[in-house]
Amino acid sequence: MEIQDTIVHELIVFVESLNISRENIQIDVSDQCIELIAPVDPTDQNSIIRIVIFFLHDSKQIQIPNIIVPRQLKYSGNGKHMIRIIYEIGQQHRYDVFIVDMVESFYQKMIARGAIPVDADSVQIIDTTNLEGKNDITWADWDEKQFWN
């Protein structure tokens, strides 16, 4: 499908910008799923970028249950950048984008960044979700934003 082809292309371009060669990127694509795995350090099995994306075409939803960014690439906005790529392409095709099956800390960080809570471990990404830069929001900031804005 066109939406999946576009997402795959843009994710590959982004991963290549991290100095990972195309021949090292593994991509599995089906009608319902994309899985991208890219080794950052081929000598370390734990040093991979991995993203899984599910498509619920009938309900026009994209669900992201798994994003792994290795330690050496964390805190640089790389995970958020991949979410933004998926969100922007999803919007062009009128798909809603959700991050699902989240750990509590990531769930709270995404709510602090403006994602909409859906249930105890899922959020919806919307236009105003801050997917830029480092995660510089503290718990104190989060509480203040919740109660005073």
Side-chain angles (χ1 to χ4, degrees):
M1 297 193 84
E2 180 185 344
I3 187 170
Q4 286 147 288
D5 293 341
T6 305
I7 288 172
V8 166
H9 172 76
E10 292 302 320
L11 286 176
I12 288 172
V13 168
F14 173 69
V15 170
E16 287 177 325
S17 77
L18 301 173
N19 296 317
I20 299 170
S21 65
R22 171 63 181 103
E23 57 268 3
N24 290 331
I25 302 171
Q26 300 172 1
I27 299 178
D28 291 319
V29 180
S30 72
D31 187 45
Q32 303 298 319
C33 181
I34 294 171
E35 180 179 27
L36 179 143
I37 300 173
V40 175
D41 178 356
T43 65
D44 181 359
Q45 288 182 345
N46 295 318
S47 181
I48 63 165
I49 293 172
R50 180 175 186 257
I51 186 163
V52 176
I53 308 161
F54 290 116
F55 296 85
L56 300 147
H57 297 294
D58 291 342
S59 57
K60 305 277 279 186
Q61 289 186 18
I62 297 171
Q63 295 184 354
I64 307 169
N66 196 282
I67 300 174
I68 296 172
V69 178
R71 186 178 333 245
Q72 62 266 46
L73 293 178
K74 281 192 177 193
Y75 310 111
S76 300
N78 294 309
K80 290 182 287 294
H81 189 85
M82 289 187 286
I83 295 168
R84 187 172 61 245
I85 288 168
I86 295 163
Y87 177 75
E88 289 174 355
I89 295 167
Q91 289 299 287
Q92 292 169 6
H93 293 269
R94 300 194 192 308
Y95 277 66
D96 292 321
V97 176
F98 299 86
I99 305 174
V100 300
D101 302 329
M102 303 170 76
V103 298
E104 179 68 18
S105 61
F106 188 47
Y107 175 83
Q108 294 298 336
K109 287 174 186 175
M110 290 309 298
I111 290 172
R113 288 182 165 277
I116 303 298
V118 175
D119 58 31
D121 64 358
S122 302
V123 298
Q124 181 176 1
I125 303 301
I126 59 172
D127 283 339
T128 55
T129 304
N130 179 2
L131 298 173
E132 301 294 327
K134 293 182 178 182
N135 190 358
D136 53 1
I137 298 172
T138 66
W139 277 107
D141 292 336
W142 183 82
D143 289 338
E144 186 173 306
K145 288 176 193 284
Q146 289 294 311
F147 294 108
W148 302 111
N149 289 332

